[in-house]
Amino acid sequence: CLGRGFVCRHLSDTVTGVALLHHQSVVARVVRQKDLSTYQMKANVDRDLPLSEIREFYSMQVTAGDRSVTYPVLFMKVDHCTSLPLPSDKAYRTADDNNLISEMCMGVTCQESDRSWCIVPKDRCSNYLFGCPAAHKTVDNPGDVQCVEALCTELLDQGTCCSLVTTTTTNTGTTFTTTFHFPEYKKDDPVVYKGKKAVVYARGVDAANGENHVDIVLEAP
């Protein structure tokens, strides 16, 4: 709120307004200054307001009985944080749920002063809280391993934060694990690898090259 008016930052061509009216006798409406179109605001009901300019002026009129107050409202379409160059060890701030403020620069064009808000350190695997699949464990020294973005996610970071557990082969009938790239196989499919019978027990994404892979259990020689 600036004095007796409002500045609203946004990223899209339409904004949704809602009037918080605490009494049935209070009436609110907004008027678009560009064409004087009027939008009646019902209490606690979302109302879409069209925008076609980088800076769009409205006025908000609030009436209670015989008293009426008008507030100027400026809607300003601001730049997105992703327009700033991103260092390899940093990430863009992650939006909290639907809070797009996390993704906004302060003005129409992002400036150097927006960096401290928009760009943050990448998260670390020590904060990866989704567990690892069968026959995998959290990587060694997870606090030294970066996730892809500002917050670790299961989808993007499982292949980075989880590593395959390998069992040593013996001649007593135990099994060992390995990895090979046959993405058409699925769990429990029988396969032959280097002349040996095997069974697929897990699938994932190879952290090194992003290819789909399957992990297999081989019969001991």
Side-chain angles (χ1 to χ4, degrees), residues 40-68:
Q40 196 73 26
M41 306 295 290
K42 295 182 179 180
N44 306 317
V45 177
D46 292 351
R47 182 65 187 264
D48 289 342
L49 303 174
L51 304 170
S52 60
E53 308 290 341
I54 293 177
R55 291 180 174 85
E56 188 96 44
F57 290 92
Y58 278 75
S59 61
M60 181 173 65
Q61 301 172 355
V62 181
T63 302
D66 59 357
R67 184 177 179 183
S68 181

PDB file of all heavy atoms in Angstrom, residues 40-68:
ATOM      1  N   GLN A  40     -17.855  -5.498 -10.651  1.00  0.00           N
ATOM      2  CA  GLN A  40     -18.429  -5.563  -9.314  1.00  0.00           C
ATOM      3  C   GLN A  40     -17.742  -6.676  -8.532  1.00  0.00           C
ATOM      4  O   GLN A  40     -17.543  -7.784  -9.047  1.00  0.00           O
ATOM      5  CB  GLN A  40     -19.934  -5.836  -9.396  1.00  0.00           C
ATOM      6  CG  GLN A  40     -20.683  -5.551  -8.104  1.00  0.00           C
ATOM      7  CD  GLN A  40     -20.825  -4.055  -7.849  1.00  0.00           C
ATOM      8  OE1 GLN A  40     -20.823  -3.250  -8.781  1.00  0.00           O
ATOM      9  NE2 GLN A  40     -20.934  -3.683  -6.578  1.00  0.00           N
ATOM     10  N   MET A  41     -17.345  -6.398  -7.314  1.00  0.00           N
ATOM     11  CA  MET A  41     -16.656  -7.376  -6.471  1.00  0.00           C
ATOM     12  C   MET A  41     -17.612  -7.882  -5.407  1.00  0.00           C
ATOM     13  O   MET A  41     -18.133  -7.109  -4.607  1.00  0.00           O
ATOM     14  CB  MET A  41     -15.430  -6.735  -5.816  1.00  0.00           C
ATOM     15  CG  MET A  41     -14.465  -6.082  -6.791  1.00  0.00           C
ATOM     16  SD  MET A  41     -13.677  -7.254  -7.914  1.00  0.00           S
ATOM     17  CE  MET A  41     -12.610  -8.124  -6.773  1.00  0.00           C
ATOM     18  N   LYS A  42     -17.839  -9.193  -5.432  1.00  0.00           N
ATOM     19  CA  LYS A  42     -18.653  -9.805  -4.387  1.00  0.00           C
ATOM     20  C   LYS A  42     -17.756 -10.260  -3.244  1.00  0.00           C
ATOM     21  O   LYS A  42     -16.608 -10.635  -3.459  1.00  0.00           O
ATOM     22  CB  LYS A  42     -19.420 -11.000  -4.956  1.00  0.00           C
ATOM     23  CG  LYS A  42     -20.439 -10.612  -6.023  1.00  0.00           C
ATOM     24  CD  LYS A  42     -21.209 -11.840  -6.504  1.00  0.00           C
ATOM     25  CE  LYS A  42     -22.248 -11.449  -7.545  1.00  0.00           C
ATOM     26  NZ  LYS A  42     -23.012 -12.632  -8.034  1.00  0.00           N
ATOM     27  N   ALA A  43     -18.292 -10.226  -2.049  1.00  0.00           N
ATOM     28  CA  ALA A  43     -17.496 -10.548  -0.868  1.00  0.00           C
ATOM     29  C   ALA A  43     -16.896 -11.939  -0.963  1.00  0.00           C
ATOM     30  O   ALA A  43     -17.617 -12.926  -1.183  1.00  0.00           O
ATOM     31  CB  ALA A  43     -18.359 -10.432   0.388  1.00  0.00           C
ATOM     32  N   ASN A  44     -15.563 -12.013  -0.854  1.00  0.00           N
ATOM     33  CA  ASN A  44     -14.823 -13.282  -0.786  1.00  0.00           C
ATOM     34  C   ASN A  44     -14.993 -14.157  -2.021  1.00  0.00           C
ATOM     35  O   ASN A  44     -14.853 -15.382  -1.947  1.00  0.00           O
ATOM     36  CB  ASN A  44     -15.250 -14.069   0.463  1.00  0.00           C
ATOM     37  CG  ASN A  44     -15.103 -13.249   1.729  1.00  0.00           C
ATOM     38  OD1 ASN A  44     -14.117 -12.558   1.912  1.00  0.00           O
ATOM     39  ND2 ASN A  44     -16.110 -13.308   2.583  1.00  0.00           N
ATOM     40  N   VAL A  45     -15.277 -13.547  -3.174  1.00  0.00           N
ATOM     41  CA  VAL A  45     -15.431 -14.286  -4.436  1.00  0.00           C
ATOM     42  C   VAL A  45     -14.366 -13.786  -5.413  1.00  0.00           C
ATOM     43  O   VAL A  45     -14.250 -12.581  -5.658  1.00  0.00           O
ATOM     44  CB  VAL A  45     -16.841 -14.097  -5.033  1.00  0.00           C
ATOM     45  CG1 VAL A  45     -16.939 -14.810  -6.386  1.00  0.00           C
ATOM     46  CG2 VAL A  45     -17.898 -14.626  -4.072  1.00  0.00           C
ATOM     47  N   ASP A  46     -13.599 -14.713  -5.990  1.00  0.00           N
ATOM     48  CA  ASP A  46     -12.566 -14.338  -6.947  1.00  0.00           C
ATOM     49  C   ASP A  46     -13.168 -13.686  -8.183  1.00  0.00           C
ATOM     50  O   ASP A  46     -14.230 -14.098  -8.664  1.00  0.00           O
ATOM     51  CB  ASP A  46     -11.763 -15.565  -7.386  1.00  0.00           C
ATOM     52  CG  ASP A  46     -10.913 -16.132  -6.253  1.00  0.00           C
ATOM     53  OD1 ASP A  46     -10.818 -15.476  -5.202  1.00  0.00           O
ATOM     54  OD2 ASP A  46     -10.347 -17.225  -6.434  1.00  0.00           O
ATOM     55  N   ARG A  47     -12.478 -12.669  -8.718  1.00  0.00           N
ATOM     56  CA  ARG A  47     -12.919 -11.999  -9.933  1.00  0.00           C
ATOM     57  C   ARG A  47     -11.698 -11.727 -10.807  1.00  0.00           C
ATOM     58  O   ARG A  47     -10.745 -11.073 -10.371  1.00  0.00           O
ATOM     59  CB  ARG A  47     -13.638 -10.685  -9.604  1.00  0.00           C
ATOM     60  CG  ARG A  47     -14.174  -9.936 -10.827  1.00  0.00           C
ATOM     61  CD  ARG A  47     -15.271 -10.742 -11.514  1.00  0.00           C
ATOM     62  NE  ARG A  47     -15.696 -10.151 -12.751  1.00  0.00           N
ATOM     63  CZ  ARG A  47     -16.767  -9.337 -12.862  1.00  0.00           C
ATOM     64  NH1 ARG A  47     -17.476  -9.016 -11.791  1.00  0.00           N
ATOM     65  NH2 ARG A  47     -17.115  -8.861 -14.032  1.00  0.00           N
ATOM     66  N   ASP A  48     -11.720 -12.242 -12.041  1.00  0.00           N
ATOM     67  CA  ASP A  48     -10.618 -12.008 -12.969  1.00  0.00           C
ATOM     68  C   ASP A  48     -10.678 -10.587 -13.512  1.00  0.00           C
ATOM     69  O   ASP A  48     -11.750 -10.090 -13.891  1.00  0.00           O
ATOM     70  CB  ASP A  48     -10.667 -12.997 -14.139  1.00  0.00           C
ATOM     71  CG  ASP A  48     -10.295 -14.408 -13.727  1.00  0.00           C
ATOM     72  OD1 ASP A  48      -9.678 -14.565 -12.662  1.00  0.00           O
ATOM     73  OD2 ASP A  48     -10.631 -15.353 -14.464  1.00  0.00           O
ATOM     74  N   LEU A  49      -9.522  -9.936 -13.583  1.00  0.00           N
ATOM     75  CA  LEU A  49      -9.406  -8.581 -14.106  1.00  0.00           C
ATOM     76  C   LEU A  49      -8.431  -8.602 -15.281  1.00  0.00           C
ATOM     77  O   LEU A  49      -7.287  -9.038 -15.139  1.00  0.00           O
ATOM     78  CB  LEU A  49      -8.898  -7.632 -13.024  1.00  0.00           C
ATOM     79  CG  LEU A  49      -9.722  -7.566 -11.740  1.00  0.00           C
ATOM     80  CD1 LEU A  49      -9.018  -6.696 -10.707  1.00  0.00           C
ATOM     81  CD2 LEU A  49     -11.121  -7.031 -12.027  1.00  0.00           C
ATOM     82  N   PRO A  50      -8.863  -8.157 -16.465  1.00  0.00           N
ATOM     83  CA  PRO A  50      -7.991  -8.217 -17.648  1.00  0.00           C
ATOM     84  C   PRO A  50      -6.897  -7.153 -17.605  1.00  0.00           C
ATOM     85  O   PRO A  50      -7.097  -6.048 -17.107  1.00  0.00           O
ATOM     86  CB  PRO A  50      -8.967  -7.955 -18.798  1.00  0.00           C
ATOM     87  CG  PRO A  50     -10.051  -7.124 -18.195  1.00  0.00           C
ATOM     88  CD  PRO A  50     -10.201  -7.613 -16.781  1.00  0.00           C
ATOM     89  N   LEU A  51      -5.757  -7.522 -18.173  1.00  0.00           N
ATOM     90  CA  LEU A  51      -4.621  -6.602 -18.260  1.00  0.00           C
ATOM     91  C   LEU A  51      -4.017  -6.705 -19.644  1.00  0.00           C
ATOM     92  O   LEU A  51      -3.821  -7.795 -20.165  1.00  0.00           O
ATOM     93  CB  LEU A  51      -3.559  -6.951 -17.206  1.00  0.00           C
ATOM     94  CG  LEU A  51      -4.024  -6.983 -15.746  1.00  0.00           C
ATOM     95  CD1 LEU A  51      -2.940  -7.574 -14.870  1.00  0.00           C
ATOM     96  CD2 LEU A  51      -4.381  -5.579 -15.277  1.00  0.00           C
ATOM     97  N   SER A  52      -3.699  -5.571 -20.251  1.00  0.00           N
ATOM     98  CA  SER A  52      -3.110  -5.586 -21.595  1.00  0.00           C
ATOM     99  C   SER A  52      -1.854  -4.728 -21.691  1.00  0.00           C
ATOM    100  O   SER A  52      -1.180  -4.728 -22.712  1.00  0.00           O
ATOM    101  CB  SER A  52      -4.131  -5.099 -22.634  1.00  0.00           C
ATOM    102  OG  SER A  52      -4.546  -3.772 -22.344  1.00  0.00           O
ATOM    103  N   GLU A  53      -1.525  -4.007 -20.642  1.00  0.00           N
ATOM    104  CA  GLU A  53      -0.360  -3.132 -20.639  1.00  0.00           C
ATOM    105  C   GLU A  53       0.610  -3.574 -19.549  1.00  0.00           C
ATOM    106  O   GLU A  53       0.232  -4.234 -18.585  1.00  0.00           O
ATOM    107  CB  GLU A  53      -0.782  -1.677 -20.388  1.00  0.00           C
ATOM    108  CG  GLU A  53      -1.882  -1.170 -21.308  1.00  0.00           C
ATOM    109  CD  GLU A  53      -1.412  -0.996 -22.740  1.00  0.00           C
ATOM    110  OE1 GLU A  53      -0.181  -0.917 -22.955  1.00  0.00           O
ATOM    111  OE2 GLU A  53      -2.269  -0.931 -23.639  1.00  0.00           O
ATOM    112  N   ILE A  54       1.869  -3.192 -19.698  1.00  0.00           N
ATOM    113  CA  ILE A  54       2.847  -3.484 -18.648  1.00  0.00           C
ATOM    114  C   ILE A  54       2.440  -2.806 -17.349  1.00  0.00           C
ATOM    115  O   ILE A  54       2.556  -3.378 -16.265  1.00  0.00           O
ATOM    116  CB  ILE A  54       4.250  -3.040 -19.095  1.00  0.00           C
ATOM    117  CG1 ILE A  54       4.723  -3.915 -20.256  1.00  0.00           C
ATOM    118  CG2 ILE A  54       5.238  -3.126 -17.928  1.00  0.00           C
ATOM    119  CD1 ILE A  54       6.073  -3.513 -20.813  1.00  0.00           C
ATOM    120  N   ARG A  55       1.933  -1.584 -17.469  1.00  0.00           N
ATOM    121  CA  ARG A  55       1.378  -0.883 -16.318  1.00  0.00           C
ATOM    122  C   ARG A  55      -0.083  -0.579 -16.611  1.00  0.00           C
ATOM    123  O   ARG A  55      -0.400   0.119 -17.574  1.00  0.00           O
ATOM    124  CB  ARG A  55       2.148   0.411 -16.038  1.00  0.00           C
ATOM    125  CG  ARG A  55       3.560   0.198 -15.521  1.00  0.00           C
ATOM    126  CD  ARG A  55       4.257   1.527 -15.280  1.00  0.00           C
ATOM    127  NE  ARG A  55       5.565   1.381 -14.659  1.00  0.00           N
ATOM    128  CZ  ARG A  55       6.690   1.152 -15.342  1.00  0.00           C
ATOM    129  NH1 ARG A  55       6.649   1.078 -16.668  1.00  0.00           N
ATOM    130  NH2 ARG A  55       7.838   1.012 -14.706  1.00  0.00           N
ATOM    131  N   GLU A  56      -0.960  -1.093 -15.805  1.00  0.00           N
ATOM    132  CA  GLU A  56      -2.405  -0.931 -16.018  1.00  0.00           C
ATOM    133  C   GLU A  56      -3.020  -0.292 -14.776  1.00  0.00           C
ATOM    134  O   GLU A  56      -2.802  -0.751 -13.649  1.00  0.00           O
ATOM    135  CB  GLU A  56      -3.047  -2.297 -16.269  1.00  0.00           C
ATOM    136  CG  GLU A  56      -4.495  -2.232 -16.697  1.00  0.00           C
ATOM    137  CD  GLU A  56      -4.659  -2.284 -18.210  1.00  0.00           C
ATOM    138  OE1 GLU A  56      -3.996  -3.105 -18.869  1.00  0.00           O
ATOM    139  OE2 GLU A  56      -5.487  -1.506 -18.718  1.00  0.00           O
ATOM    140  N   PHE A  57      -3.785   0.779 -14.986  1.00  0.00           N
ATOM    141  CA  PHE A  57      -4.363   1.510 -13.869  1.00  0.00           C
ATOM    142  C   PHE A  57      -5.844   1.171 -13.704  1.00  0.00           C
ATOM    143  O   PHE A  57      -6.611   1.157 -14.666  1.00  0.00           O
ATOM    144  CB  PHE A  57      -4.196   3.026 -14.067  1.00  0.00           C
ATOM    145  CG  PHE A  57      -2.775   3.491 -13.943  1.00  0.00           C
ATOM    146  CD1 PHE A  57      -1.965   3.571 -15.068  1.00  0.00           C
ATOM    147  CD2 PHE A  57      -2.249   3.838 -12.707  1.00  0.00           C
ATOM    148  CE1 PHE A  57      -0.651   3.995 -14.960  1.00  0.00           C
ATOM    149  CE2 PHE A  57      -0.935   4.277 -12.599  1.00  0.00           C
ATOM    150  CZ  PHE A  57      -0.135   4.346 -13.716  1.00  0.00           C
ATOM    151  N   TYR A  58      -6.197   0.893 -12.477  1.00  0.00           N
ATOM    152  CA  TYR A  58      -7.595   0.703 -12.069  1.00  0.00           C
ATOM    153  C   TYR A  58      -7.864   1.644 -10.909  1.00  0.00           C
ATOM    154  O   TYR A  58      -6.937   2.223 -10.318  1.00  0.00           O
ATOM    155  CB  TYR A  58      -7.832  -0.734 -11.595  1.00  0.00           C
ATOM    156  CG  TYR A  58      -8.066  -1.764 -12.680  1.00  0.00           C
ATOM    157  CD1 TYR A  58      -7.019  -2.244 -13.458  1.00  0.00           C
ATOM    158  CD2 TYR A  58      -9.337  -2.280 -12.901  1.00  0.00           C
ATOM    159  CE1 TYR A  58      -7.222  -3.194 -14.434  1.00  0.00           C
ATOM    160  CE2 TYR A  58      -9.561  -3.249 -13.869  1.00  0.00           C
ATOM    161  CZ  TYR A  58      -8.503  -3.701 -14.634  1.00  0.00           C
ATOM    162  OH  TYR A  58      -8.721  -4.654 -15.601  1.00  0.00           O
ATOM    163  N   SER A  59      -9.123   1.776 -10.580  1.00  0.00           N
ATOM    164  CA  SER A  59      -9.481   2.403  -9.315  1.00  0.00           C
ATOM    165  C   SER A  59     -10.426   1.463  -8.574  1.00  0.00           C
ATOM    166  O   SER A  59     -11.207   0.734  -9.192  1.00  0.00           O
ATOM    167  CB  SER A  59     -10.153   3.769  -9.529  1.00  0.00           C
ATOM    168  OG  SER A  59     -11.354   3.619 -10.270  1.00  0.00           O
ATOM    169  N   MET A  60     -10.325   1.430  -7.269  1.00  0.00           N
ATOM    170  CA  MET A  60     -11.198   0.590  -6.451  1.00  0.00           C
ATOM    171  C   MET A  60     -12.080   1.483  -5.595  1.00  0.00           C
ATOM    172  O   MET A  60     -11.587   2.301  -4.823  1.00  0.00           O
ATOM    173  CB  MET A  60     -10.371  -0.342  -5.561  1.00  0.00           C
ATOM    174  CG  MET A  60     -11.236  -1.257  -4.699  1.00  0.00           C
ATOM    175  SD  MET A  60     -10.253  -2.488  -3.789  1.00  0.00           S
ATOM    176  CE  MET A  60      -9.302  -1.401  -2.707  1.00  0.00           C
ATOM    177  N   GLN A  61     -13.384   1.334  -5.778  1.00  0.00           N
ATOM    178  CA  GLN A  61     -14.352   2.149  -5.056  1.00  0.00           C
ATOM    179  C   GLN A  61     -15.039   1.292  -3.997  1.00  0.00           C
ATOM    180  O   GLN A  61     -15.603   0.236  -4.306  1.00  0.00           O
ATOM    181  CB  GLN A  61     -15.391   2.724  -6.016  1.00  0.00           C
ATOM    182  CG  GLN A  61     -14.781   3.589  -7.108  1.00  0.00           C
ATOM    183  CD  GLN A  61     -15.787   4.004  -8.165  1.00  0.00           C
ATOM    184  OE1 GLN A  61     -16.947   3.573  -8.136  1.00  0.00           O
ATOM    185  NE2 GLN A  61     -15.353   4.833  -9.105  1.00  0.00           N
ATOM    186  N   VAL A  62     -14.959   1.730  -2.772  1.00  0.00           N
ATOM    187  CA  VAL A  62     -15.589   1.010  -1.659  1.00  0.00           C
ATOM    188  C   VAL A  62     -16.658   1.921  -1.059  1.00  0.00           C
ATOM    189  O   VAL A  62     -16.383   3.058  -0.676  1.00  0.00           O
ATOM    190  CB  VAL A  62     -14.549   0.623  -0.589  1.00  0.00           C
ATOM    191  CG1 VAL A  62     -15.225  -0.152   0.545  1.00  0.00           C
ATOM    192  CG2 VAL A  62     -13.421  -0.213  -1.217  1.00  0.00           C
ATOM    193  N   THR A  63     -17.886   1.399  -0.990  1.00  0.00           N
ATOM    194  CA  THR A  63     -19.016   2.193  -0.508  1.00  0.00           C
ATOM    195  C   THR A  63     -19.697   1.492   0.659  1.00  0.00           C
ATOM    196  O   THR A  63     -19.960   0.281   0.601  1.00  0.00           O
ATOM    197  CB  THR A  63     -20.052   2.415  -1.623  1.00  0.00           C
ATOM    198  OG1 THR A  63     -19.401   3.061  -2.734  1.00  0.00           O
ATOM    199  CG2 THR A  63     -21.201   3.277  -1.134  1.00  0.00           C
ATOM    200  N   ALA A  64     -19.944   2.243   1.710  1.00  0.00           N
ATOM    201  CA  ALA A  64     -20.686   1.736   2.872  1.00  0.00           C
ATOM    202  C   ALA A  64     -21.715   2.798   3.262  1.00  0.00           C
ATOM    203  O   ALA A  64     -21.360   3.878   3.740  1.00  0.00           O
ATOM    204  CB  ALA A  64     -19.748   1.439   4.030  1.00  0.00           C
ATOM    205  N   GLY A  65     -22.969   2.503   2.996  1.00  0.00           N
ATOM    206  CA  GLY A  65     -24.005   3.484   3.275  1.00  0.00           C
ATOM    207  C   GLY A  65     -23.835   4.709   2.395  1.00  0.00           C
ATOM    208  O   GLY A  65     -23.749   4.601   1.169  1.00  0.00           O
ATOM    209  N   ASP A  66     -23.754   5.887   3.001  1.00  0.00           N
ATOM    210  CA  ASP A  66     -23.609   7.125   2.227  1.00  0.00           C
ATOM    211  C   ASP A  66     -22.148   7.567   2.126  1.00  0.00           C
ATOM    212  O   ASP A  66     -21.853   8.671   1.654  1.00  0.00           O
ATOM    213  CB  ASP A  66     -24.449   8.242   2.853  1.00  0.00           C
ATOM    214  CG  ASP A  66     -24.055   8.529   4.303  1.00  0.00           C
ATOM    215  OD1 ASP A  66     -23.167   7.806   4.831  1.00  0.00           O
ATOM    216  OD2 ASP A  66     -24.635   9.451   4.895  1.00  0.00           O
ATOM    217  N   ARG A  67     -21.217   6.704   2.527  1.00  0.00           N
ATOM    218  CA  ARG A  67     -19.794   7.065   2.466  1.00  0.00           C
ATOM    219  C   ARG A  67     -19.082   6.216   1.421  1.00  0.00           C
ATOM    220  O   ARG A  67     -19.281   5.003   1.349  1.00  0.00           O
ATOM    221  CB  ARG A  67     -19.129   6.848   3.828  1.00  0.00           C
ATOM    222  CG  ARG A  67     -17.676   7.296   3.852  1.00  0.00           C
ATOM    223  CD  ARG A  67     -17.062   7.126   5.226  1.00  0.00           C
ATOM    224  NE  ARG A  67     -15.665   7.538   5.227  1.00  0.00           N
ATOM    225  CZ  ARG A  67     -14.875   7.445   6.287  1.00  0.00           C
ATOM    226  NH1 ARG A  67     -15.350   6.944   7.430  1.00  0.00           N
ATOM    227  NH2 ARG A  67     -13.616   7.839   6.204  1.00  0.00           N
ATOM    228  N   SER A  68     -18.262   6.859   0.600  1.00  0.00           N
ATOM    229  CA  SER A  68     -17.554   6.162  -0.469  1.00  0.00           C
ATOM    230  C   SER A  68     -16.097   6.618  -0.506  1.00  0.00           C
ATOM    231  O   SER A  68     -15.812   7.811  -0.363  1.00  0.00           O
ATOM    232  CB  SER A  68     -18.223   6.430  -1.825  1.00  0.00           C
ATOM    233  OG  SER A  68     -17.550   5.747  -2.859  1.00  0.00           O
TER     234      SER A  68
END
